[in-house]
Amino acid sequence: MRDDAVQAERLGAALVSRRCGLVRELAPQGRGPEEPCPPHLWTATLAHYDFRAAGPSERLNAGKGRTEAEARLSALGEAIERYSAYHWDASRIRVGPALPGAITPADCVLHSEAQYRAGLPYPRWSPATETSWIEGVELPSGRPVELPAGLVYLLSPLPRPQDHVAAVTSNGLAAGSDLTRAVIGGLCELIERDALMITWLNRLPATLIETPETGCMAAAIIRHYRRFGVVVRLLSLATDQAAFVVMAVAENPDPAQGARIVGMGCDPDPASAVDKAMFELCQARPSMISRLARSDAAERLRGPEDVRDLDDHPLYHALPRNLGAFDFLFASGSRVRLDDLPRPAAPDPEAVLARLVEAANAAGARIAYVDITAPDIAPLGPRVVRCFATGFQPIHFGHGEGRLGGRRLYEAPLRWGLRAEPLAEADLNPCPHPLA
């Protein structure tokens, strides 16, 4: 039995039980015959561990993989990640002003002065603000560093309102089979979302990856969708990091299935980034079809100002009237073959992590993580971390929630040769990004 199958069986036995498990159900995700397999899609439904009857959006966790075992592991990893991130550990928290050397909320990009003046519901932060801190690890030195606990956990509301300096998101949160792989996953997510937000808000062009015929699993998936009239294009987004960021864009002739749906992938290996983006797209399509069938999106989402939460973002772009929102991505006409993109050497996790950290440091970012694995999960082996890359543009959800107070959002397009002058804040793209 392969390692992932052994691990899936072991974790499933420890976590899954309808009567007394942390995960009440581990099951295949439903989908129609027009969807390809692989990827395999599974869901893990968390129990009401916090004695609160929360809805599916807080309990249902989706996983994907090349095999059923990999998809089950992925779903269990998502459940473990969410469960751990909801457990605020007061014993690890120091409350006080910022100490020298800390990575502060401001380092993680907050809102602009114009946004605060417009009446944001978040308090302004300063080094003198009494803040909740948790000790993490800075890379590559391995030295301890204080991190803002309000940006570590998924808990909302936070125990102290002063810590709620921005909307809670999962940016940089990741689970892995060991600590190194978890940190790699968290950093790749930060790189992916940084590239997406800089591209989207600045309306930067992307590079079309010519449809591959071999060399990745995405090739067969694209051919499969083509038989149903669904056209998939692969875009490489600009970044200065040691990983490729790929957006898979599917356009569907049947608006009932979502006129346009996207998936994102990030990996040091371009073929792996392409496959991750395609797998995420495949995961999104069945749920989007289901949501559109019971949604009033066409009446409710009339303009960008109507986009209020995470689910609204992909729904907005599933509406045919918003197809033009992607035009800037294809404007340059630049193309590249997947085979022409550089492939890394054998993926030793320690070497991969070192390259990611080195490139981020070269771009001016400090890299850190904090292990927040729940105590009852730690003996099973997986690790859950929240990663930080200072200055990287974080994702946001909902109109007006963008964290527009950083410099990288405005300066990176100039360094990358994609703009001659930085945009003013008022000129940033008001259209909501397409990612859930």
Side-chain angles (χ1 to χ4, degrees):
M1 190 180 288
R2 287 181 52 184
D3 288 347
D4 53 2
V6 171
Q7 191 173 9
E9 290 294 329
R10 185 173 62 83
L11 282 179
L15 298 175
V16 182
S17 169
R18 185 169 289 276
R19 295 185 65 184
C20 59
L22 172 62
V23 175
R24 294 183 58 201
E25 183 178 45
L26 183 64
Q29 179 179 339
R31 51 181 164 170
E34 70 278 4
E35 299 302 321
C37 186
H40 295 267
L41 306 177
W42 280 65
T43 60
T45 305
L46 281 166
H48 295 310
Y49 59 86
D50 52 0
F51 305 102
R52 186 171 55 89
S57 64
E58 292 188 51
R59 300 302 190 223
L60 191 66
N61 302 273
K64 50 197 176 292
R66 294 165 296 178
T67 64
E68 283 201 12
E70 193 174 290
R72 292 199 304 271
L73 270 179
S74 175
L76 287 170
E78 292 288 329
I80 289 168
E81 177 184 312
R82 180 176 295 195
Y83 172 70
S84 294
Y86 269 89
H87 282 73
W88 179 277
D89 188 347
S91 68
R92 301 177 66 182
I93 304 299
R94 178 189 74 83
V95 177
L99 296 179
I103 289 178
T104 71
D107 294 328
C108 301
V109 181
L110 294 177
H111 302 281
S112 70
E113 285 301 313
Q115 289 178 292
Y116 285 119
R117 287 196 299 271
L120 278 174
Y122 310 111
R124 293 173 183 261
W125 185 87
S126 78
T129 302
E130 292 283 309
T131 303
S132 297
W133 304 95
I134 185 170
E135 186 176 286
V137 178
E138 187 161 5
L139 298 175
S141 68
R143 290 190 295 267
V145 61
E146 284 201 323
L147 304 168
L151 298 179
V152 168
Y153 294 97
L154 285 180
L155 196 64
S156 182
L158 293 165
R160 300 179 67 254
Q162 301 94 319
D163 295 324
H164 199 177
V165 294
V168 175
T169 74
S170 61
N171 218 39
L173 188 64
S177 58
D178 56 42
L179 185 59
T180 300
R181 288 177 172 82
V183 175
I184 290 172
L187 287 182
C188 281
E189 181 173 89
L190 291 173
I191 293 167
E192 172 190 295
R193 293 181 172 189
D194 172 74
L196 170 65
M197 298 311 300
I198 292 174
T199 294
W200 192 266
L201 289 169
N202 284 280
R203 299 186 186 90
L204 300 181
T207 298
L208 183 70
I209 301 174
E210 294 182 2
T211 303
E213 295 299 326
T214 59
C216 60
M217 296 189 74
I221 296 171
I222 292 172
R223 289 195 295 270
H224 174 95
Y225 279 137
R226 195 181 295 148
R227 293 196 290 271
F228 293 88
V230 179
V231 175
V232 178
R233 289 182 282 183
L234 302 170
L235 297 173
S236 176
L237 306 189
T239 181
D240 52 8
Q241 297 305 294
F244 292 88
V245 178
V246 174
M247 177 188 287
V249 182
E251 294 182 5
N252 197 323
D254 180 1
Q257 297 188 15
R260 178 176 279 142
I261 299 173
V262 306
M264 296 293 300
C266 178
D267 197 275
D269 177 11
S272 295
V274 164
D275 281 345
K276 288 179 178 180
M278 281 302 312
F279 280 22
E280 186 171 281
L281 188 152
C282 292
Q283 186 180 58
R285 273 178 51 87
S287 61
M288 177 59 68
I289 293 168
S290 174
R291 296 216 304 271
L292 282 170
R294 62 179 191 272
S295 170
D296 61 350
E299 292 74 33
R300 184 170 56 84
L301 302 178
R302 292 291 182 179
E305 65 281 358
D306 298 320
V307 173
R308 298 299 180 191
D309 58 28
L310 180 147
D311 286 338
D312 284 347
H313 283 258
L315 282 171
Y316 184 87
H317 291 283
L319 302 175
R321 63 173 177 254
N322 295 323
L323 284 172
F326 277 57
D327 288 351
F328 68 88
L329 291 168
F330 304 103
S332 73
S334 60
R335 307 168 72 94
V336 67
R337 295 173 64 248
L338 181 59
D339 289 344
D340 293 336
L341 296 174
R343 304 288 295 270
D348 170 63
E350 295 292 343
V352 169
L353 179 56
R355 288 197 298 272
L356 292 174
V357 172
E358 181 181 17
N361 289 163
R366 294 173 65 188
I367 300 300
Y369 72 88
V370 56
D371 186 339
I372 57 169
T373 314
D376 52 341
I377 297 298
L380 301 175
R383 288 294 178 269
V384 178
V385 300
R386 174 78 82 161
C387 292
F388 289 78
T390 62
F392 276 32
Q393 184 62 32
I395 200 165
H396 67 273
F397 299 102
H399 180 71
E401 291 285 346
R403 287 153 65 176
L404 307 180
R407 295 172 53 191
R408 180 173 167 85
L409 172 63
Y410 306 95
E411 296 174 356
L414 278 66
R415 293 197 299 270
W416 301 345
L418 296 175
R419 280 207 177 277
E421 299 288 340
L423 287 184
E425 181 180 333
D427 296 326
L428 293 172
N429 188 358
C431 181
H433 67 78
L435 196 62

